[in-house]
Amino acid sequence: MQYSEIMIRYGELSTKHKNRMRFINKLRNNISDVLSIYPQVKVTADRDRAHAYLNGADYTAVAESLKQVFGIQNFSPVYKVEKSVEVLKSAVQEIMKETYKEGMTFKITGKRSDHTFELDSRELNQTLGSAVFKAIPNVKAQMKNPDINLQVEIREEAAYISYETFRGAGGLPVGSSGKGMLMLSGGIDSPVAGYLALKRGVDIEAVHFASPPYTSPGALKKAQDLTRKLTKFGGNIQFIEVPFTEIQEEIKAKAPEAYLMTLTRRFMMRITDRIREVRNGLVIINGESLGQVASQTLESMQTINAVTSTPVIRPVVTMDKLEIIDIAQAIDTFDISIQPFEDCCTIFAPDRPKTNPKIKNAEQYEKRMDVKGLVERAVAGIMITEITPQTEKDEVDDLIDNLL
């Protein structure tokens, strides 16, 4: 027998009561985006669970994709069969013959959602259990922690049988908590910050600053590849490229070296906040970790933050580098992040950046520049690309391109 679909059970959505369907619809859309790499798979959702209809797709590949989607508690590949006692008996016998190995134990867990069905849950367990004994005489039943737990659910439209259950990613559906602008460099930390924001339901848009010719096309592609890695947790992400060359040249020409990083970050914060305002975001997200580099002291964060009243979320602020690397490796962004392409934060980095910059000093140096004009020109020049999940074939093609 072949699996017909995957039955998906929700996670924290059970606590949402009146808003439940809003969360479910968001999750359904996210699952559809993530599974768009399997064109034949179709997704539906109701108040109890979602269904991914395989239509011939490889269930193991689809299952691997579903494991990453936030908002899913667990899921089971299922066989959909006719609501007939005889059909059900034949189905469980066939499944057990394919699955059973010498010495394994089993149980039947029946559930009757359709109360018009001729057998109740207890009778269903007994009838189907007897059918298994008839097909495999030496099999042993075990009610607690059996090797095979055949779950049989009788619903209005059909009967469903499953024996595998996979754990989901938990969390909240991406987008159910509003939108945030992720300041995405090419480093290790910011993709991890984006992942943690996605886990709590924040719909992120990736804001990346490019300074050609100082930053290369490789650096831009690296940021886009990092963004694509994040799409597997909740679907498509808008990638916003910001032209930053004019601003960096202006800062280098008119500010002391010790304040180059502080002023660069203040401009980035202003621009990200302006984009957030235009695109109806609620927060700014970045990958700052306290004390990790000179620009990430409390004094520096205070001076950089002074340019906005918008909440700035720093999901990795209390983590050390090894903790962040562990997550980066788990979400498969680490190998991309360590590719040797410089980003805007490193190309003009001073040898001795100010670790306790003062707001009044930063404001004094910025008076030498047309801050408003620089910000508005950068925002006017943004380029927006929708990043979508990538198929395995596309990943292989990209790897070949990189090797060439």
Side-chain angles (χ1 to χ4, degrees):
M1 291 181 68
Q2 281 192 329
Y3 287 124
S4 58
E5 63 197 77
I6 295 179
M7 188 179 291
I8 301 163
R9 303 173 187 90
Y10 309 135
E12 292 182 56
L13 306 194
S14 60
T15 65
K16 301 308 172 186
H17 302 301
K18 292 182 180 179
N19 292 322
R20 184 177 177 85
M21 283 311 299
R22 179 173 68 85
F23 280 74
I24 289 171
N25 289 334
K26 178 62 70 175
L27 177 58
R28 181 199 62 216
N29 293 338
N30 294 347
I31 293 171
S32 295
D33 284 344
V34 170
L35 298 185
S36 63
I37 56 177
Y38 313 105
Q40 68 270 53
V41 175
K42 305 302 177 188
V43 179
T44 64
D46 55 34
R47 291 191 65 84
D48 296 325
R49 62 204 60 191
H51 297 260
Y53 297 98
L54 295 171
N55 295 314
D58 176 15
Y59 92 92
T60 56
V62 176
E64 287 304 309
S65 294
L66 285 175
K67 288 177 184 178
Q68 313 292 336
V69 180
F70 289 126
I72 295 176
Q73 181 181 37
N74 60 55
F75 59 89
S76 299
V78 299
Y79 304 97
K80 182 179 181 180
V81 300
E82 181 186 336
K83 278 195 306 182
S84 156
V85 173
E86 292 306 313
V87 171
L88 281 166
K89 287 165 64 176
S90 297
V92 298
Q93 287 175 332
E94 184 176 348
I95 293 167
M96 282 296 297
K97 286 178 180 178
E98 292 175 356
T99 310
Y100 175 77
K101 291 181 175 58
E102 188 67 33
M104 280 186 170
T105 58
F106 88 105
K107 70 179 285 191
I108 303 288
T109 304
K111 181 180 178 182
R112 188 183 64 163
S113 300
D114 177 9
H115 293 286
T116 65
F117 188 68
E118 58 192 280
L119 303 180
D120 63 22
S121 297
R122 183 180 60 82
E123 293 169 334
L124 191 63
N125 292 342
Q126 292 175 341
T127 301
L128 298 183
S130 297
V132 172
F133 284 122
K134 186 175 182 180
I136 310 173
N138 295 327
V139 69
K140 291 183 179 180
Q142 182 170 304
M143 295 303 101
K144 188 174 182 180
N145 299 322
D147 296 308
I148 304 170
N149 182 8
L150 270 182
Q151 300 174 69
V152 181
E153 185 169 353
I154 310 297
R155 296 174 68 84
E156 287 189 14
E157 69 281 4
Y160 299 92
I161 306 173
S162 64
Y163 66 90
E164 294 183 281
T165 297
F166 298 96
R167 183 177 177 179
L172 296 171
V174 172
S176 61
S177 298
K179 182 194 293 185
M181 319 309 291
L182 172 66
M183 299 175 71
L184 181 74
S185 68
I188 298 169
D189 304 339
S190 56
V192 172
Y195 161 79
L196 293 172
L198 290 169
K199 186 175 183 179
R200 298 316 303 160
V202 180
D203 181 15
I204 62 172
E205 294 192 347
V207 180
H208 178 73
F209 294 85
S211 291
Y214 306 108
T215 56
S216 68
L220 178 61
K221 183 179 184 301
K222 176 182 175 182
Q224 292 174 331
D225 289 344
L226 288 170
T227 304
R228 182 166 283 109
K229 287 294 184 182
L230 295 178
T231 62
K232 63 186 176 184
F233 303 107
N236 302 353
I237 296 175
Q238 303 300 313
F239 180 88
I240 303 172
E241 178 189 350
V242 180
F244 204 58
T245 308
E246 180 187 13
I247 291 174
Q248 289 207 270
E249 290 178 339
E250 186 79 352
I251 293 171
K252 187 168 177 60
K254 295 184 177 178
E257 184 175 285
Y259 269 78
L260 290 182
M261 184 60 70
T262 301
L263 298 183
T264 296
R265 297 291 292 178
R266 279 167 63 93
F267 269 99
M268 287 179 170
M269 191 69 79
R270 287 188 181 97
I271 292 167
T272 303
D273 196 30
R274 184 76 184 97
I275 295 171
R276 174 205 61 78
E277 184 180 1
V278 171
R279 296 185 60 79
N280 300 313
L282 298 175
V283 297
I284 296 169
I285 304 156
N286 68 32
E288 291 178 338
S289 175
L290 187 59
Q292 195 175 117
V293 296
S295 64
Q296 294 179 10
T297 62
L298 287 178
E299 294 89 346
S300 183
M301 290 181 188
Q302 181 187 42
T303 300
I304 293 166
N305 253 66
V307 302
T308 179
S309 60
T310 297
V312 179
I313 296 175
R314 298 174 171 86
V316 302
V317 70
T318 63
M319 297 182 187
D320 64 35
K321 196 66 177 182
L322 292 179
E323 290 174 302
I324 298 171
I325 288 173
D326 284 345
I327 298 175
Q329 290 175 328
I331 65 175
D332 199 25
T333 58
F334 180 75
D335 288 342
I336 298 174
S337 292
I338 61 174
Q339 290 175 2
F341 297 108
E342 288 195 301
D343 59 34
C344 287
C345 292
T346 58
I347 54 171
F348 290 151
D351 292 333
R352 296 180 179 177
K354 198 75 171 175
T355 58
N356 60 341
K358 307 302 181 187
I359 295 175
K360 64 178 182 179
N361 291 344
E363 291 174 343
Q364 192 65 35
Y365 299 137
E366 286 172 350
K367 287 180 180 178
R368 305 172 184 176
M369 311 171 205
D370 176 18
V371 172
K372 183 177 180 181
L374 287 166
V375 169
E376 290 303 320
R377 286 195 291 279
V379 173
I382 64 173
M383 294 181 62
I384 302 175
T385 307
E386 185 169 46
I387 305 294
T388 61
Q390 190 171 39
T391 66
E392 193 171 312
K393 177 182 180 301
D394 291 335
E395 290 177 348
V396 172
D397 290 344
D398 280 353
L399 179 61
I400 294 172
D401 289 343
N402 289 336
L403 290 174
L404 294 177

